[in-house]
Amino acid sequence: QVQLVESGGGLVQPGGSLRLSCAASGFRFSSYRMKWFRQAPGKERELVADISPYGSSTNYADSVKGRFTISRDNDKNTVYLQMNSLKPEDTGVYYCYVAPGIGSGFWGQGTQVTVSS
């Protein structure tokens, strides 16, 4: 079955950096676009970044452009989110997502990111 396991979250001061990882299993990882979402307290889940199957194409939310970088390692079945120059408004639970088939979508359990001094 499809499994997505995020890691790398934590508490960081404003201006700091974190790298999130999402280890995937149960599907042909290299065939699918991968996405990172986040959900801040009291807000809807929003798309942060996505990456094409071989990494040639990426997209970012305007709020993170120039600060976040999504990447993937298809040999390790892992997608990453490098987050630099973090701001308090980046606080939230970060989720990995994949839709490997029509009408199907899978989420990881999420990893908490807190940006605070």
Side-chain angles (χ1 to χ4, degrees):
Q1 68 278 20
V2 173
Q3 283 194 316
L4 301 170
V5 180
E6 300 97 335
S7 61
L11 172 64
V12 63
Q13 291 187 343
S17 298
L18 284 173
R19 189 174 85 149
L20 307 183
S21 300
C22 171
S25 61
F27 64 101
R28 189 185 296 271
F29 182 77
S30 59
S31 293
Y32 299 100
R33 181 172 290 269
M34 297 297 298
K35 301 175 186 280
W36 282 100
F37 286 77
R38 69 184 179 190
Q39 188 164 20
K43 295 189 175 181
E44 293 188 355
R45 198 170 294 189
E46 63 171 349
L47 178 63
V48 175
D50 64 39
I51 186 166
S52 59
Y54 283 92
S56 59
S57 169
T58 57
N59 296 291
Y60 297 92
D62 287 344
S63 58
V64 307
K65 279 181 183 176
R67 301 187 298 120
F68 289 13
T69 302
I70 188 171
S71 62
R72 65 192 295 160
D73 185 335
N74 287 348
D75 291 334
K76 295 182 178 179
N77 285 3
T78 301
V79 61
Y80 304 97
L81 187 67
Q82 177 68 44
M83 306 186 296
N84 299 327
S85 302
L86 283 160
K87 305 175 181 180
E89 51 263 43
D90 294 317
T91 293
V93 180
Y94 283 69
Y95 298 92
C96 185
Y97 175 85
V98 66
I102 297 174
S104 70
F106 296 88
W107 298 92
Q109 84 287 352
T111 186
Q112 175 71 45
V113 172
T114 303
V115 184
S116 175
S117 54

